[in-house]
Amino acid sequence: MAASAASSFQITIARPSVLSTKRISSFCSTKFGGENRKLSCNRLASSCHVSSIQHFWRSFTSTTQKLQKVVTKAKSEADDSKPASVLPIDLRGKRAFIAGIADDNGYGWAIAKSLAAAGAEILVGTWVPALNIFETSLRRGKFDESRVLPDGSLMEITKVYPLDAVFDSLEDVPEDIKTNKRYAGSSKWTVSEVAESVKEDFGSIDILVHSLANGPEVTKHLLETSRKGYLAAISASSYSYVSLLKHFLPIMNSGMYLVSHLIAPCGSSISLTYIASERIIPGYGGGMSSAKAALESDTRVLAFEAGRKQKVRVNTISAGPLRSRAAKAIGFIDMMIDYSIANAPLQKELSADEVGNTAAFLASPLASAITGAVIYVDNGLNAMGVGVDSPIFKDLNIPKSTE
């Protein structure tokens, strides 16, 4: 994605700020304590001056006619010395850990890019057997083209950690995995060990992203799925999120900070789900539909527990079909994309960037009151009750594009 194709998103604020810069700085220093908090709030205060609203403005540019990509525009290029006239997604000073990135064409990568474009520092957890290939490709510049951010710079990944989210601690790892040559040379890759390593290296994080799933029997009908395969899907695709949040929650920043005149929670956790959690998707088997349903249920419970315990927000994004490496393994991803284009309210192919931008919004203070939610990013396919491309509806007056 070339820098020239970068889009911008700007919203003028509806009313003036009710707190002056001086009052905000005073409030932060007295309520939150600590020099770092005060400095952070001073930076925030400089962007809290707003103007009255007269218009809503968006500009979108694209290098293709088939798909318009909406790219997060970071606040980093603005002058902090001037009052802000727009409401940006600003994650400067925030640190994100994204679990489940092993290449540059999935939703996890897109989320990392959008968070980086908004100013966040990026840490990555990569499945141990894929670690060497991923780090080698990153080091040799094979991902450079897809690392380009809206301002033309390259996304920087501060550190890549080996991770296998199926195991909570070293005691849980069976001997055959410990001695497997694909795990040779890596250490401290269980969930608890990775959380401890991040704590030792950086102290804390602000954003946690779960972007991983696996169902060893995903191509089997549910009636043909073994107990072992079903439980493996649940373990890798849903409980892994519970485990990640359980072990990372103690190191997630849990304070509150000011956004305009509002007090917003700092921490945010995001996962990825799929419409198969609530609708029948033939071919998406092996217990994976059950795992996604469990993930969505857990999202609501975790939102309550993490919110009450540490003021951390928990949401999940129900993303439409994408030609990622993982999706291609299922075997019918092209068919699902074609079905979506034919039947969704918005007849276009979904971009990974659109999911990434949604994650950036959910991680930002703009989403300070959103938690326990399933956010659909699928061109509206979730709203459909029937497939309108069926011959049964050939005589219906189905709305068509005028373009």
Side-chain angles (χ1 to χ4, degrees):
M1 178 180 62
S4 59
S7 304
S8 63
F9 175 59
Q10 298 177 326
I11 304 176
T12 307
I13 311 304
R15 55 186 175 181
S17 171
V18 298
L19 294 178
S20 68
T21 303
K22 182 177 180 180
R23 290 175 62 193
I24 291 174
S25 299
S26 175
F27 176 84
C28 290
S29 60
T30 56
K31 292 295 184 182
F32 299 112
E35 191 62 27
N36 290 337
R37 293 283 188 187
K38 183 174 181 180
L39 289 173
S40 177
C41 288
N42 282 338
R43 288 196 298 269
L44 176 66
S46 68
S47 62
C48 284
H49 297 278
V50 293
S51 61
S52 60
I53 186 166
Q54 294 297 329
H55 68 280
F56 173 87
W57 179 82
R58 294 187 183 188
S59 69
F60 300 96
T61 59
S62 177
T63 55
T64 66
Q65 293 182 348
K66 184 178 181 181
L67 173 67
Q68 289 185 332
K69 293 186 176 181
V70 185
V71 185
T72 305
K73 184 177 178 63
K75 176 68 165 56
S76 57
E77 57 196 59
D79 184 353
D80 281 349
S81 65
K82 298 178 180 179
S85 60
V86 296
L87 185 65
I89 293 178
D90 186 355
L91 297 175
R92 289 173 299 169
K94 305 302 178 184
R95 183 177 298 115
F97 182 88
I98 301 104
I101 297 180
D103 55 38
D104 66 339
N105 70 349
Y107 284 134
W109 179 270
I111 290 172
K113 280 188 65 178
S114 289
L115 295 178
E121 181 181 12
I122 304 300
L123 310 178
V124 166
T126 298
W127 188 45
V128 183
L131 180 66
N132 184 54
I133 294 176
F134 178 71
E135 287 190 313
T136 300
S137 298
L138 194 63
R139 185 171 57 253
R140 293 181 177 176
K142 291 185 178 181
F143 299 151
D144 282 359
E145 184 176 352
S146 57
R147 286 172 60 202
V148 177
L149 298 177
D151 63 359
S153 65
L154 298 183
M155 174 180 68
E156 295 294 338
I157 298 177
T158 302
K159 188 166 183 176
V160 179
Y161 291 87
L163 171 67
D164 193 328
V166 169
F167 304 107
D168 297 330
S169 64
L170 191 59
E171 291 73 26
D172 300 327
V173 183
E175 196 61 33
D176 63 321
I177 296 294
K178 290 180 181 178
T179 58
N180 191 305
K181 63 180 182 181
R182 296 195 299 172
Y183 286 75
S186 295
S187 61
K188 297 183 177 181
W189 42 260
T190 65
V191 176
S192 61
E193 291 175 308
V194 174
E196 185 60 32
S197 295
V198 172
K199 179 181 179 181
E200 291 175 358
D201 293 340
F202 298 97
S204 64
I205 64 170
D206 304 277
I207 302 161
L208 177 66
V209 178
H210 176 276
S211 177
L212 52 89
N214 183 51
E217 299 180 18
V218 67
T219 58
K220 292 184 179 181
H221 298 307
L222 187 57
L223 285 173
E224 299 171 354
T225 301
S226 68
R227 182 184 296 271
K228 182 179 179 180
Y230 184 94
L231 294 178
I234 295 288
S235 174
S237 309
S238 55
Y239 185 77
S240 58
Y241 184 43
V242 177
S243 179
L244 274 170
L245 190 54
K246 172 184 177 181
H247 290 94
F248 275 86
L249 189 61
I251 66 168
M252 292 187 72
N253 289 322
S254 59
M256 308 287 281
Y257 60 113
L258 289 173
V259 182
S260 185
H261 62 290
L262 302 176
I263 302 176
C266 289
S268 176
S269 183
I270 301 165
S271 65
L272 292 169
T273 185
Y274 183 47
I275 192 64
S277 63
E278 53 187 285
R279 300 283 189 272
I280 299 168
I281 307 293
Y284 193 75
M288 282 302 301
S289 58
S290 307
K292 292 302 185 182
L295 181 67
E296 293 180 16
S297 178
D298 291 342
T299 294
R300 291 183 282 272
V301 177
L302 292 171
F304 172 74
E305 295 181 358
R308 288 297 185 94
K309 185 176 182 179
Q310 204 154 322
K311 297 182 177 65
V312 168
R313 296 180 294 107
V314 182
N315 295 291
T316 188
I317 297 172
S318 185
L322 177 76
R323 288 188 182 89
S324 65
R325 177 183 57 83
K328 289 177 183 177
I330 300 175
F332 64 101
I333 188 61
D334 290 336
M335 185 189 309
M336 292 305 300
I337 292 174
D338 291 342
Y339 178 86
S340 178
I341 294 174
N343 293 284
L346 300 179
Q347 291 185 278
K348 65 180 183 63
E349 189 169 334
L350 184 68
S351 164
D353 290 337
E354 292 171 304
V355 172
N357 292 342
T358 302
F361 163 72
L362 288 174
S364 77
L366 302 183
S368 60
I370 301 176
T371 192
V374 177
I375 306 297
Y376 296 95
V377 185
D378 61 357
N379 289 322
L381 186 63
N382 71 93
M384 301 301 297
V386 297
V388 294
D389 62 342
S390 171
I392 294 176
F393 301 110
K394 62 182 175 63
D395 295 327
L396 279 182
N397 184 23
I398 303 295
K400 293 180 173 59
S401 173
T402 57
E403 295 180 357

